[in-house]
Amino acid sequence: AKACGRNCYQFFNQEIQLQAERTAQLHLHLKKAISQNELELFYQPIVNPLNGKIVKAEALLRWCHKGQYISPVEFIPIAEHSGVIVEIGEWVKTQAVMMAIELKKLGLHVPISVNVSTLEFWSLELQTRFLQFFDQVVEQLNIDVFPYEMITLEITESLMMKQQKAVCELLSLLRQRGIRISIDDFGTGYSSLSYLVSFPVDQIKIDKSFIHQLETDPRHKALVEAIVSMSRALDLTVIAEGVETQSQLDFVKQQQIQAVQGYFYYKPMSKSDFLKLL
Ligand code: C2E
Ligand code: CA
Ligand code: CA
Ligand code: CA
């Protein structure tokens, strides 16, 4: 350890420096990503495991920058940090609505799930803006009605801890209009389960980390079983996320989980590939 001491220190220092420079670069370019047409929505089908039919799809954001795809895991936190997530969120919702309208015209009832960042609800001002978006987009896209029944919002548990009452009211209002609310990454947060009763929720998505550990740690089976029976008692739909193998699928089916998302069926794909598939 002694021999490596100074070199290691320099190495880590360099790593941190490079990482900081990359973040600063991405930060700078992300602001222009929308106007320069660098963002794209991919779609990952969600399947009924009993008949293999596509029942829904999740919209997943991709950023193609200088010929490379940058993962949302890397750029969403940067977007949140700089506040540009609000514009990005509106771009994402607009694209998803356009897609929903297209699907409706084709006579396909495949609702689109959209990820919503906690930051989009951060202040009272942003909450108002969020709500107004739905009326504005109707004008902007020159459509008669917003296809609320075709849109699901995926929110995380952290959102429910912040601004409880105001966010709850906002989501209730949208839900009255027909939007569905899904809890993403269910089980990974630290919030109390009581929000499932007090919050306007339709659906929960079991986080892929639970699904991936089903085989290695049998306690995860108990966990998934508990989530499923609780959801059933509360009349919530369950989606299992990250299903990759036959044995994961078998377990999920055995639990009578109604919808499955994962590489076992489909990876996220471009809009045109998704339309071809349908
Ligand atoms: P998420 O919402 O939990 O989305 C599911 C992620 O799991 C996606 O990663 C998807 O490609 C991946 N996935 C799906 N099936 C499998 C599987 O079988 N195995 C494995 N290993 N992975 C699977 P992706 O597309 O890289 O997105 C990562 C995260 O970025 C999302 O996690 C979400 O938190 C965020 N994100 C993506 N698009 C948006 C967006 O439009 N807005 C916001 N705010 N966040 C977004
Ligand atoms: Ca999601
Ligand atoms: Ca998730
Ligand atoms: Ca997530």
Side-chain angles (χ1 to χ4, degrees):
K2 205 175 176 187
C4 133
R6 195 159 163 244
N7 280 339
C8 277
Y9 176 73
Q10 275 180 351
F11 174 75
F12 283 124
N13 234 353
Q14 257 173 25
E15 275 289 286
I16 291 166
Q17 175 95 31
L18 282 174
Q19 193 53 50
E21 273 165 24
R22 178 169 163 89
T23 302
Q25 277 298 312
L26 293 183
H27 189 120
L28 206 70
H29 290 288
L30 195 51
K31 291 198 159 124
K32 290 179 281 183
I34 298 177
S35 59
Q36 301 198 331
N37 261 325
E38 293 179 349
L39 297 182
E40 190 178 342
L41 268 196
F42 270 41
Y43 295 88
Q44 186 178 26
I46 299 172
V47 171
N48 174 348
L50 296 179
N51 56 19
K53 286 216 171 88
I54 296 168
V55 290
K56 244 178 131 75
E58 178 174 6
L60 293 159
L61 191 56
R62 298 291 180 258
W63 179 19
C64 187
H65 181 57
K66 293 181 179 165
Q68 269 190 341
Y69 276 113
I70 300 171
S71 163
V73 177
E74 183 174 17
F75 75 79
I76 291 290
I78 297 174
E80 290 179 332
H81 192 75
S82 67
V84 76
I85 189 70
V86 175
E87 278 88 42
I88 289 182
E90 287 176 352
W91 184 87
V92 167
K93 288 196 290 289
T94 307
Q95 299 297 311
V97 171
M98 285 163 63
M99 180 62 155
I101 292 165
E102 218 171 312
L103 293 173
K104 232 177 134 170
K105 276 191 189 139
L106 293 168
L108 297 163
H109 185 75
V110 180
I112 303 295
S113 250
V114 178
N115 290 287
V116 174
S117 160
T118 308
L119 271 288
E120 294 178 58
F121 289 97
W122 197 247
S123 62
L124 207 64
E125 198 189 328
L126 287 178
Q127 288 157 22
T128 310
R129 178 167 170 170
F130 194 90
L131 196 58
Q132 280 169 351
F133 164 84
F134 294 92
D135 299 319
Q136 282 163 4
V137 85
V138 168
E139 274 180 49
Q140 192 194 326
L141 297 178
N142 199 16
I143 49 175
D144 296 331
V145 283
F146 188 95
Y148 285 105
E149 76 291 350
M150 291 284 284
I151 299 291
T152 298
L153 299 179
E154 294 196 3
I155 61 176
T156 53
E157 290 165 82
S158 61
L159 180 64
M160 289 168 287
M161 296 165 74
K162 308 229 162 59
Q163 308 264 357
Q164 277 260 11
K165 202 157 171 277
V167 175
C168 191
E169 278 168 14
L170 169 60
L171 295 179
S172 297
L173 214 124
L174 289 172
R175 195 157 167 258
Q176 277 161 24
R177 299 184 189 173
I179 264 189
R180 255 152 290 187
I181 311 290
S182 183
I183 310 295
D184 205 356
D185 307 336
F186 185 81
T188 60
Y190 296 97
S191 52
S192 130
L193 285 177
S194 63
Y195 69 76
L196 284 180
V197 180
S198 55
F199 241 77
V201 174
D202 299 280
Q203 178 181 87
I204 63 176
K205 296 184 83 170
I206 300 179
D207 191 65
K208 55 180 174 288
S209 61
F210 297 129
I211 303 297
H212 294 168
Q213 289 175 86
L214 284 174
E215 283 121 35
T216 49
D217 185 348
R219 289 176 304 176
H220 282 90
K221 290 194 172 164
L223 212 59
V224 171
E225 274 170 30
I227 293 174
V228 170
S229 71
M230 183 189 63
S231 305
R232 200 162 289 142
L234 294 175
D235 206 17
L236 303 169
T237 321
V238 178
I239 297 180
E241 193 180 71
V243 172
E244 293 178 357
T245 67
Q246 181 68 54
S247 71
Q248 288 165 353
L249 181 67
D250 289 343
F251 178 74
V252 157
K253 277 165 110 169
Q254 187 200 319
Q255 293 299 310
Q256 290 171 296
I257 290 178
Q258 304 99 320
V260 170
Q261 179 178 0
Y263 298 167
F264 182 84
Y265 287 112
Y266 304 103
K267 289 191 170 179
M269 58 188 85
S270 70
K271 180 179 174 176
S272 62
D273 283 346
F274 180 56
L275 285 171
K276 267 182 237 152
L277 180 73
L278 289 173

